[in-house]
Amino acid sequence: MKKKPPESSFRPPADPEVDRLLTAPVFVISPVRSGSTLLRSMLNAHPDLHAPHELHVRRLSVDFGTSLAEKAMAALGHNRADLEHMLWDRVLHRELVRSGKRFIVDKTPANAFAYERIAACWPDARYIFLLRHPASIATSWHEASPDRRTPDEAAADALRYMKAVERAKKALPGLTVRYEDLTDEPEKIARRICEFLGIEWSPSMLTYGTPDVVTKGLGDWKDKIRSGSVQPGRDLPGADEIPEVLKPMCRTWGYLP
């Protein structure tokens, strides 16, 4: 397997008007198993928003192939990261144009680990931070692949995502949404999101229909998301059900005093 070249230093576009096709893309920054597929399905049902399945564009890379190609691009002022950003922007823009809508939404959970680069790539990006009770995240992460990770391993692995989301939330402006509020009061939260994004509220967000892509690895694939409408969330765990490793994050996010 070919080894990916080391990441170049990344920076904002030299000329945003020329170097970027997208305008004000939206990124849902969330841990795994936090309800992001539900949120993206609701957003995608809005006539102005195209929220496809997880796209993982940050994993798309550019290889110069030869030193001459690298020198040629350098003479134009581009390093590898610049070219990768153009590629990411072009992929998302093509998807948006095909949808016929105004704004694209990407909700890939791993984007939390690359928030600095995403912010550099799209200086006008908007962010929605989706939180969920850490113990519920860990339980759902274990249930998603019980043969791959024990409950303790699921808690530790999910915590990596939570910490990354918290770092992004501290560094970037945006709207914070709780999964529990989204399932308890979907219209209220959807209206708040629309106000944040500067678009009109649409009741279609509450009955989003069956998602177009329901595939493990690209989003949630369970029965709840297949139902086509917002379903109640699971009961919150009691204090004695929360793994010790998750209690600090529960306090940070306000789920524990």
Side-chain angles (χ1 to χ4, degrees), residues 26-31 33-56 95 99 101 103-109 111 128-131 177-179 182-183 186 189-190 193-194 197 199 202 204-222 224-226 228-230:
V26 180
F27 292 90
V28 175
I29 305 295
S30 69
R33 310 305 299 176
S34 59
S36 60
T37 298
L38 169 63
L39 178 55
R40 86 95 176 160
S41 299
M42 294 174 67
L43 297 175
N44 191 54
H46 192 285
D48 286 338
L49 302 174
H50 180 49
H53 59 81
E54 294 173 13
L55 297 175
H56 300 273
E95 183 62 23
S99 75
K101 296 186 177 184
F103 302 109
I104 197 161
V105 180
D106 184 16
K107 70 89 173 177
T108 308
N111 283 344
I128 299 172
F129 302 101
L130 178 62
L131 310 183
V177 171
R178 292 181 184 271
Y179 170 76
L182 184 66
T183 54
I189 301 305
I193 292 171
C194 289
L197 296 178
I199 57 179
S202 174
S204 61
M205 298 174 75
L206 303 183
T207 52
Y208 54 81
T210 303
D212 50 353
V213 175
V214 186
T215 303
K216 189 173 182 179
L218 299 181
D220 197 351
W221 69 100
K222 300 294 188 179
K224 274 189 178 182
I225 201 67
R226 293 175 185 270
S229 59
V230 182

Side-chain angles (χ1 to χ4, degrees), residues 4-216:
K4 181 181 177 181
E7 186 176 89
S8 301
S9 59
F10 56 85
R11 55 198 175 187
D15 186 348
E17 292 292 324
V18 174
D19 294 345
R20 296 294 178 268
L21 299 175
L22 282 180
T23 299
V26 180
F27 292 90
V28 175
I29 305 295
S30 69
V32 292
R33 310 305 299 176
S34 59
S36 60
T37 298
L38 169 63
L39 178 55
R40 86 95 176 160
S41 299
M42 294 174 67
L43 297 175
N44 191 54
H46 192 285
D48 286 338
L49 302 174
H50 180 49
H53 59 81
E54 294 173 13
L55 297 175
H56 300 273
V57 292
R58 78 180 187 93
R59 295 298 189 184
L60 301 179
S61 60
V62 168
D63 186 352
F64 289 118
T66 69
S67 60
L68 285 176
E70 184 172 4
K71 289 179 180 178
M73 292 300 100
L76 296 178
H78 306 314
N79 64 19
R80 181 182 291 112
D82 296 334
L83 298 174
E84 288 173 346
H85 289 175
M86 291 180 190
L87 172 61
W88 301 354
D89 183 73
R90 180 66 180 89
V91 170
L92 293 185
H93 182 262
R94 179 181 185 273
E95 183 62 23
L96 178 62
V97 170
R98 292 178 68 202
S99 75
K101 296 186 177 184
R102 293 176 60 198
F103 302 109
I104 197 161
V105 180
D106 184 16
K107 70 89 173 177
T108 308
N111 283 344
F113 296 105
Y115 72 88
E116 292 173 308
R117 189 161 178 188
I118 288 170
C121 181
W122 293 284
D124 62 343
R126 279 95 48 89
Y127 304 95
I128 299 172
F129 302 101
L130 178 62
L131 310 183
R132 187 183 185 184
H133 194 297
S136 297
I137 290 174
T139 298
S140 182
W141 193 221
H142 167 65
E143 292 173 350
S145 298
D147 56 327
R148 291 184 57 188
R149 55 185 79 91
T150 67
D152 287 344
E153 290 169 339
D157 191 40
L159 184 59
R160 292 189 308 114
Y161 286 85
M162 298 178 216
K163 289 180 176 178
V165 170
E166 181 61 18
R167 289 192 294 270
K169 194 161 76 74
K170 288 180 177 179
L172 300 172
L175 176 69
T176 298
V177 171
R178 292 181 184 271
Y179 170 76
E180 294 82 6
D181 295 336
L182 184 66
T183 54
D184 285 348
E185 300 181 285
E187 180 175 339
K188 176 182 177 181
I189 301 305
R191 285 181 178 274
R192 184 181 301 166
I193 292 171
C194 289
E195 181 180 2
F196 169 70
L197 296 178
I199 57 179
E200 295 292 327
W201 147 253
S202 174
S204 61
M205 298 174 75
L206 303 183
T207 52
Y208 54 81
T210 303
D212 50 353
V213 175
V214 186
T215 303
K216 189 173 182 179

